[in-house]
Amino acid sequence: MSSSDKPEVVERDVKDEEKKDKDKEEGKGGFIEKVKDFIHDIGEKIEEAIGFGKPTADVTGIHIPSINLEKAELVVDVLIKNPNPVPIPLVDINYLIESDGRKLVSGLIPDAGTIHAHGQETVKIPVVLIYEDIKNTYHDIKPGSIVPYRVKVDLLVDVPVIGRITIPLEKTGEIPIPYKPDVDLEKIHFERFSFEETVAVLHLKLENKNDFDLGLTALDYEIWLAGVSIGGAELTKSAKIEKSGITYIDIPFTFRPKDFGSALWDMIRGKGTGYSIKGNIDAETPFGAMKLPISKEGGTTRLKKDGDDDDDEVC
């Protein structure tokens, strides 16, 4: 066998071919990597040149413009910043308010507007919480309590080059479930009594059954004795009723006893006469201003007999 037929010669040829193939693959791989790097660099340069990027958003505040015994109106402020040189449409806004993992209210706002190029805008999301629905669904949520909540907002925006993206947001807070104060007529102090005109002072007791303070700023009321209105008025009165606390208010008023007919004689003879009170209080709270109703029906009152003090007894 000649030297040219030796296996090592063939092996050397194979090795040469493998080396050539490897060089080709490395060259090919190097070329692909170079192309990828080039495209990436070009992409970054284009992005830098035209300034496309993802918008940012934040829940900047939650306001309670209106609250009463039936519902609370909330407004969620969401600040959105657009870093792009073109306006971007805000496709949808999904929102959810929950308490301890339980849904209180949810909704969708479609076609929520457009964020200007290189601009920022505050989008306001109005939400209404109906207390009756909440209490019917969650029986452990009691009137007068303060409920923790979590607001979840998903913003769906359409960004050129990047495409549609979702921006999730969250914020926590507390919302009250208001309860109307209890009112009682503790006593009536008569300063001057005559059939034509009687001047007296009502001593009202107001009990706050809420888990938050009430800063009383005004009171409007109307009072009935024996089914006859003895008048009403608006009274500006500043007082603080602490949570689960009691305060007393003196209200002056005048009336004409002769308008009561036989009911007046029942009072003079010591018989009980029915009274009712209806009205509203205006109060400042940690959650904003509230107007809460007050009412008392079915109470009885009578004039003291001779020898007693001149205060009316109230039952």
Side-chain angles (χ1 to χ4, degrees), residues 50-79:
I50 61 178
F52 281 113
K54 293 182 180 180
T56 59
D58 185 31
V59 178
T60 56
I62 299 177
H63 312 286
I64 308 177
S66 176
I67 189 168
N68 52 42
L69 293 183
E70 288 76 36
K71 63 182 179 180
E73 297 178 3
L74 283 72
V75 177
V76 182
D77 291 342
V78 179
L79 178 64

Side-chain angles (χ1 to χ4, degrees), residues 11-68:
E11 289 179 3
R12 187 172 59 246
D13 292 342
V14 171
K15 289 179 180 179
D16 290 342
E17 291 298 324
E18 288 179 350
K19 185 175 183 303
K20 290 179 181 179
D21 292 340
K22 185 178 180 182
D23 290 342
K24 287 182 180 179
E25 288 298 324
E26 288 179 353
K28 184 179 178 181
F31 175 75
I32 291 174
E33 291 301 320
K34 288 180 180 179
V35 170
K36 287 182 178 178
D37 292 341
F38 175 77
I39 292 174
H40 179 73
D41 292 341
I42 290 295
E44 286 187 343
K45 285 181 170 52
I46 291 175
E47 187 172 325
E48 289 175 3
I50 61 178
F52 281 113
K54 293 182 180 180
T56 59
D58 185 31
V59 178
T60 56
I62 299 177
H63 312 286
I64 308 177
S66 176
I67 189 168
N68 52 42

Side-chain angles (χ1 to χ4, degrees), residues 53-58 60 78-84 88 115-122 155 157 159 167:
K54 293 182 180 180
T56 59
D58 185 31
T60 56
V78 179
L79 178 64
I80 307 174
K81 297 180 180 180
N82 176 19
N84 300 294
I88 59 172
I115 311 302
H116 297 300
H118 294 305
Q120 62 181 37
E121 290 189 31
T122 296
L155 303 177
V157 296
V159 183
I167 306 175

Side-chain angles (χ1 to χ4, degrees), residues 17 62 65-66 116 131 172 176 205 211 228 231 238 245 254 314:
E17 291 298 324
I62 299 177
S66 176
H116 297 300
Y131 291 133
T172 59
K205 181 180 80 170
D211 288 338
V228 179
S238 178
T254 60
V314 179

Side-chain angles (χ1 to χ4, degrees), residues 97-200:
I97 298 182
E98 61 180 20
S99 178
D100 294 330
R102 301 174 298 180
K103 185 179 79 170
L104 300 181
V105 66
S106 63
L108 167 68
I109 303 176
D111 302 324
T114 301
I115 311 302
H116 297 300
H118 294 305
Q120 62 181 37
E121 290 189 31
T122 296
V123 177
K124 296 184 178 294
I125 305 174
V127 181
V128 178
L129 293 176
I130 307 297
Y131 291 133
E132 193 63 30
D133 295 342
I134 296 173
K135 289 183 286 187
N136 289 339
T137 305
Y138 307 111
H139 301 291
D140 59 326
I141 297 179
K142 302 298 183 183
S145 61
I146 299 175
V147 177
Y149 69 84
R150 181 185 302 274
V151 176
K152 295 183 178 181
V153 179
D154 286 334
L155 303 177
L156 180 61
V157 296
D158 198 351
V159 183
V161 178
I162 298 176
R164 290 194 174 187
I165 63 173
T166 299
I167 306 175
L169 306 171
E170 285 191 12
K171 194 173 184 68
T172 59
E174 292 181 328
I175 190 75
I177 311 293
Y179 193 69
K180 68 177 184 178
D182 277 356
V183 59
D184 280 309
L185 181 56
E186 286 281 285
K187 60 183 178 180
I188 303 176
H189 176 79
F190 290 96
E191 296 184 346
R192 187 174 71 251
F193 184 88
S194 72
F195 288 102
E196 290 297 327
E197 182 181 75
T198 292
V199 179

Side-chain angles (χ1 to χ4, degrees), residues 183-231:
V183 59
D184 280 309
L185 181 56
E186 286 281 285
K187 60 183 178 180
I188 303 176
H189 176 79
F190 290 96
E191 296 184 346
R192 187 174 71 251
F193 184 88
S194 72
F195 288 102
E196 290 297 327
E197 182 181 75
T198 292
V199 179
V201 176
L202 298 178
H203 297 275
L204 291 184
K205 181 180 80 170
L206 289 173
E207 182 177 0
N208 178 14
K209 293 192 171 183
N210 294 285
D211 288 338
F212 51 90
D213 296 344
L214 296 176
L216 181 64
T217 57
L219 167 71
D220 63 85
Y221 64 92
E222 187 170 4
I223 301 171
W224 290 264
L225 286 177
V228 179
S229 174
I230 62 174

